[in-house]
Amino acid sequence: VSQSRYSEIDVIDFNRHSMFLVLLETCICLLGILYGKSGPTFAKDIYGHLPYEEALKKGNKLVDDYLETFYGLAEWIEFIQNFARKHGYVENLFGLHRRLPDIKSRDNYLRSEAERQAQNTPIQGTGAMMTNLSCIKAVETFQKQRLKSMIISTVHDSIVLDVYVPELEFVSSFMRDTMENIHKPYFDDKGVPYKADAELGDSYAELYEVNDFGGLSNTRRYREWVDEKTKEEEMAYQKAWEEKLKGVV
């Protein structure tokens, strides 16, 4: 789920669910800091339902607590911004450069934007390269093996495929292995694993997370699996609405 979708959630509705709120704050904080967001922005995104002074205090504390807990992140942000100021560019893990001439600009807006790009490029740039290389390898493999499955699109660092059901087990295994290991000829991951999650469904609007594709290459079993997931989702939505209505009453 993207950061923008999280920020649209009405946090007041989830105040009874403290664990969800903690996870929500963590997700927005991590992504936001990497995009150059600060306490006042978090005050608006997460605590907008509170009075401004209280929201601002909570927003600043959220950033301070996060950077204190994950102190390596603050050190990395300082390092990458200093590197950009000194060299005028940053690079992703594949060694590709993004030039940032505005990093020394006297214009506060342009300079701040370049600082955000300096933090973001090594991460998103690396993810984009891994996605693109995975697509190239997948197309070459599908054509070589004369598969009916094909890549439809990419969404950020995700790859969307139209998969012929009898090919489902092979394609899912191949794509997971490819996306998790495509970087290895290019840079040392220092033992940090890259994990690829898989979702399956009849359309991009109806996807369900799946870990084991065993048996789903059978069309009948696939349809049964989709029907099971659809019913589970409908029941979860019904239960959530019932709980919400009880809270309103």
Coordinates of all heavy atoms in Angstrom, one line a residue, residues 87-124:
H87 N 29.8 16.6 -4.4 CA 30.0 16.1 -5.7 C 29.0 16.5 -6.7 O 29.2 16.4 -7.9 CB 30.0 14.5 -5.7 CG 31.1 13.9 -4.8 ND1 32.4 13.8 -5.2 CD2 31.1 13.4 -3.6 CE1 33.1 13.3 -4.3 NE2 32.3 13.0 -3.2
G88 N 27.9 17.1 -6.3 CA 26.9 17.5 -7.2 C 26.0 16.4 -7.7 O 25.2 16.7 -8.7
Y89 N 26.1 15.2 -7.2 CA 25.2 14.1 -7.7 C 25.1 13.1 -6.6 O 25.9 13.1 -5.6 CB 25.8 13.5 -8.9 CG 27.1 12.7 -8.7 CD1 27.1 11.3 -8.3 CD2 28.4 13.3 -8.8 CE1 28.2 10.6 -8.1 CE2 29.5 12.6 -8.6 CZ 29.4 11.2 -8.2 OH 30.6 10.5 -8.0
V90 N 24.2 12.1 -6.8 CA 24.1 10.9 -5.9 C 24.0 9.8 -6.9 O 23.8 9.9 -8.1 CB 22.9 10.9 -5.0 CG1 23.1 12.0 -3.9 CG2 21.6 11.2 -5.7
E91 N 24.2 8.6 -6.4 CA 24.1 7.4 -7.2 C 23.4 6.3 -6.5 O 23.3 6.2 -5.3 CB 25.5 6.9 -7.6 CG 26.4 6.4 -6.5 CD 27.8 6.0 -6.9 OE1 28.2 6.4 -8.0 OE2 28.5 5.3 -6.1
N92 N 22.7 5.4 -7.3 CA 22.1 4.2 -6.8 C 23.1 3.1 -6.6 O 24.3 3.3 -7.0 CB 20.8 3.8 -7.6 CG 21.2 3.4 -9.0 OD1 22.3 3.0 -9.3 ND2 20.2 3.4 -9.9
L93 N 22.6 1.9 -6.2 CA 23.5 0.8 -5.9 C 24.1 0.2 -7.2 O 25.0 -0.6 -7.1 CB 22.8 -0.2 -5.0 CG 22.5 0.2 -3.6 CD1 21.8 -0.9 -2.8 CD2 23.8 0.7 -2.9
F94 N 23.5 0.6 -8.3 CA 24.0 0.1 -9.6 C 25.1 1.0 -10.2 O 25.6 0.8 -11.2 CB 22.9 -0.1 -10.6 CG 22.0 -1.2 -10.3 CD1 20.9 -1.1 -9.4 CD2 22.2 -2.5 -10.9 CE1 20.0 -2.1 -9.2 CE2 21.4 -3.6 -10.6 CZ 20.3 -3.4 -9.7
G95 N 25.3 2.1 -9.5 CA 26.3 3.1 -9.9 C 25.9 4.1 -10.8 O 26.7 4.9 -11.4
L96 N 24.5 4.2 -11.1 CA 24.0 5.2 -12.0 C 23.9 6.5 -11.2 O 23.4 6.6 -10.1 CB 22.6 4.8 -12.5 CG 22.7 3.5 -13.4 CD1 21.3 3.2 -13.9 CD2 23.6 3.7 -14.6
H97 N 24.2 7.6 -11.9 CA 24.2 9.0 -11.2 C 23.0 9.8 -11.5 O 22.4 9.7 -12.6 CB 25.4 9.8 -11.7 CG 26.8 9.2 -11.3 ND1 28.0 9.9 -11.4 CD2 27.1 8.1 -10.6 CE1 28.9 9.2 -10.9 NE2 28.4 8.1 -10.5
R98 N 22.6 10.6 -10.5 CA 21.6 11.6 -10.8 C 22.2 12.9 -10.3 O 22.6 13.1 -9.2 CB 20.3 11.4 -9.9 CG 19.3 12.5 -10.1 CD 18.0 12.2 -9.5 NE 17.0 13.3 -9.7 CZ 15.7 13.2 -9.4 NH1 15.2 12.1 -8.8 NH2 14.9 14.2 -9.7
R99 N 22.4 13.8 -11.3 CA 23.0 15.1 -11.0 C 22.0 16.0 -10.3 O 20.8 16.1 -10.7 CB 23.5 15.7 -12.3 CG 24.5 14.8 -13.0 CD 25.3 15.6 -14.1 NE 26.2 14.6 -14.7 CZ 27.4 14.3 -14.2 NH1 27.8 14.8 -13.0 NH2 28.2 13.4 -14.8
L100 N 22.5 16.8 -9.3 CA 21.7 17.7 -8.5 C 22.3 19.0 -8.4 O 22.8 19.5 -7.4 CB 21.5 17.1 -7.1 CG 20.8 15.7 -7.0 CD1 21.0 15.1 -5.6 CD2 19.4 15.8 -7.4
P101 N 22.2 19.8 -9.5 CA 22.8 21.1 -9.5 C 22.2 22.1 -8.5 O 22.9 23.1 -8.1 CB 22.6 21.6 -11.0 CG 21.4 20.8 -11.5 CD 21.5 19.5 -10.8
D102 N 20.9 21.9 -8.1 CA 20.3 22.8 -7.2 C 20.6 22.5 -5.7 O 20.1 23.3 -4.9 CB 18.8 22.7 -7.4 CG 18.3 23.2 -8.7 OD1 19.0 24.1 -9.2 OD2 17.3 22.7 -9.2
I103 N 21.5 21.6 -5.5 CA 21.8 21.2 -4.1 C 22.6 22.4 -3.4 O 22.6 22.5 -2.2 CB 22.7 20.0 -4.0 CG1 22.8 19.4 -2.6 CG2 24.1 20.2 -4.6 CD1 21.5 18.7 -2.2
K104 N 23.2 23.3 -4.2 CA 23.9 24.5 -3.7 C 23.1 25.8 -4.0 O 23.7 26.9 -3.8 CB 25.3 24.5 -4.2 CG 26.2 23.4 -3.8 CD 27.6 23.5 -4.3 CE 28.5 22.3 -3.9 NZ 29.8 22.5 -4.5
S105 N 21.9 25.7 -4.4 CA 21.1 26.8 -4.8 C 20.8 27.7 -3.6 O 20.7 27.3 -2.4 CB 19.8 26.4 -5.4 OG 19.0 27.5 -5.7
R106 N 20.7 29.0 -3.8 CA 20.4 30.0 -2.8 C 18.9 30.0 -2.6 O 18.4 30.5 -1.5 CB 20.9 31.4 -3.1 CG 22.4 31.5 -3.2 CD 22.8 32.9 -3.5 NE 24.2 33.1 -3.5 CZ 24.9 34.2 -3.7 NH1 24.2 35.3 -4.0 NH2 26.2 34.3 -3.7
D107 N 18.1 29.5 -3.5 CA 16.7 29.4 -3.4 C 16.3 28.2 -2.5 O 16.7 27.1 -2.7 CB 16.1 29.1 -4.8 CG 14.6 29.2 -4.8 OD1 14.0 28.4 -4.0 OD2 14.0 29.9 -5.6
N108 N 15.7 28.5 -1.3 CA 15.4 27.5 -0.3 C 14.6 26.4 -0.9 O 14.8 25.2 -0.6 CB 14.7 28.1 0.9 CG 15.6 29.0 1.7 OD1 16.8 28.8 1.7 ND2 15.0 30.0 2.4
Y109 N 13.6 26.7 -1.8 CA 12.7 25.7 -2.3 C 13.5 24.7 -3.2 O 13.4 23.5 -3.1 CB 11.6 26.3 -3.1 CG 10.7 25.2 -3.8 CD1 9.8 24.5 -3.1 CD2 10.9 24.9 -5.2 CE1 9.0 23.6 -3.7 CE2 10.2 24.0 -5.8 CZ 9.2 23.3 -5.1 OH 8.5 22.3 -5.7
L110 N 14.3 25.3 -4.1 CA 15.1 24.4 -5.0 C 16.1 23.6 -4.2 O 16.3 22.4 -4.5 CB 15.8 25.3 -6.0 CG 14.9 26.0 -7.0 CD1 15.8 26.9 -8.0 CD2 14.1 25.0 -7.9
R111 N 16.8 24.2 -3.2 CA 17.8 23.5 -2.5 C 17.1 22.3 -1.7 O 17.6 21.2 -1.6 CB 18.5 24.4 -1.5 CG 19.7 23.7 -0.8 CD 20.4 24.7 0.1 NE 19.6 25.3 1.1 CZ 19.2 26.5 1.1 NH1 19.4 27.3 0.1 NH2 18.4 27.0 2.1
S112 N 15.9 22.6 -1.0 CA 15.2 21.6 -0.3 C 14.8 20.4 -1.2 O 14.8 19.3 -0.8 CB 14.0 22.2 0.5 OG 14.5 23.2 1.4
E113 N 14.3 20.8 -2.4 CA 13.9 19.8 -3.3 C 15.1 18.9 -3.7 O 14.9 17.6 -3.8 CB 13.3 20.4 -4.5 CG 12.7 19.4 -5.5 CD 11.5 18.7 -5.0 OE1 10.9 19.2 -4.1 OE2 11.1 17.7 -5.7
A114 N 16.2 19.5 -3.9 CA 17.4 18.7 -4.3 C 17.8 17.8 -3.1 O 18.3 16.7 -3.3 CB 18.5 19.6 -4.7
E115 N 17.7 18.3 -1.9 CA 18.1 17.5 -0.7 C 17.1 16.3 -0.6 O 17.6 15.2 -0.3 CB 18.0 18.3 0.5 CG 19.1 19.4 0.6 CD 18.9 20.3 1.8 OE1 17.8 20.3 2.4 OE2 19.9 21.1 2.0
R116 N 15.8 16.5 -0.9 CA 14.9 15.3 -0.9 C 15.3 14.3 -2.0 O 15.2 13.1 -1.7 CB 13.5 15.8 -1.1 CG 12.9 16.5 0.2 CD 11.4 16.7 0.0 NE 11.1 17.7 -1.0 CZ 11.0 19.0 -0.7 NH1 11.2 19.5 0.5 NH2 10.7 19.9 -1.7
Q117 N 15.6 14.8 -3.1 CA 16.0 13.9 -4.2 C 17.3 13.2 -3.9 O 17.4 12.0 -4.3 CB 16.2 14.8 -5.5 CG 14.9 15.3 -6.1 CD 15.1 16.4 -7.2 OE1 16.2 16.8 -7.4 NE2 14.0 16.7 -7.8
A118 N 18.2 13.8 -3.2 CA 19.4 13.1 -2.8 C 19.1 12.0 -1.9 O 19.8 10.9 -2.0 CB 20.3 14.1 -2.1
Q119 N 18.2 12.1 -1.0 CA 17.8 11.0 -0.1 C 17.0 9.9 -0.8 O 17.2 8.7 -0.5 CB 16.9 11.6 1.1 CG 17.6 12.5 2.0 CD 16.6 13.2 3.0 OE1 16.9 14.3 3.4 NE2 15.5 12.5 3.3
N120 N 16.2 10.3 -1.7 CA 15.3 9.4 -2.4 C 15.9 8.6 -3.5 O 15.6 7.4 -3.7 CB 14.0 10.1 -2.9 CG 13.0 9.2 -3.5 OD1 12.9 9.3 -4.7 ND2 12.4 8.4 -2.7
T121 N 16.8 9.2 -4.3 CA 17.3 8.6 -5.5 C 18.0 7.3 -5.2 O 17.8 6.3 -6.0 CB 18.2 9.6 -6.2 OG1 17.4 10.7 -6.7 CG2 18.9 8.9 -7.4
P122 N 18.9 7.2 -4.2 CA 19.6 5.9 -4.0 C 18.6 4.7 -3.8 O 18.9 3.6 -4.1 CB 20.5 6.1 -2.8 CG 20.7 7.6 -2.8 CD 19.4 8.2 -3.3
I123 N 17.5 5.0 -3.2 CA 16.5 4.0 -2.8 C 15.6 3.7 -4.0 O 15.5 2.5 -4.5 CB 15.7 4.4 -1.6 CG1 16.6 4.7 -0.4 CG2 14.6 3.4 -1.3 CD1 15.9 5.4 0.7
Q124 N 14.9 4.7 -4.5 CA 14.0 4.5 -5.6 C 14.7 4.1 -6.9 O 14.3 3.3 -7.7 CB 13.1 5.7 -5.9 CG 11.9 5.7 -5.0 CD 10.8 6.6 -5.5 OE1 11.1 7.7 -6.2 NE2 9.6 6.3 -5.3

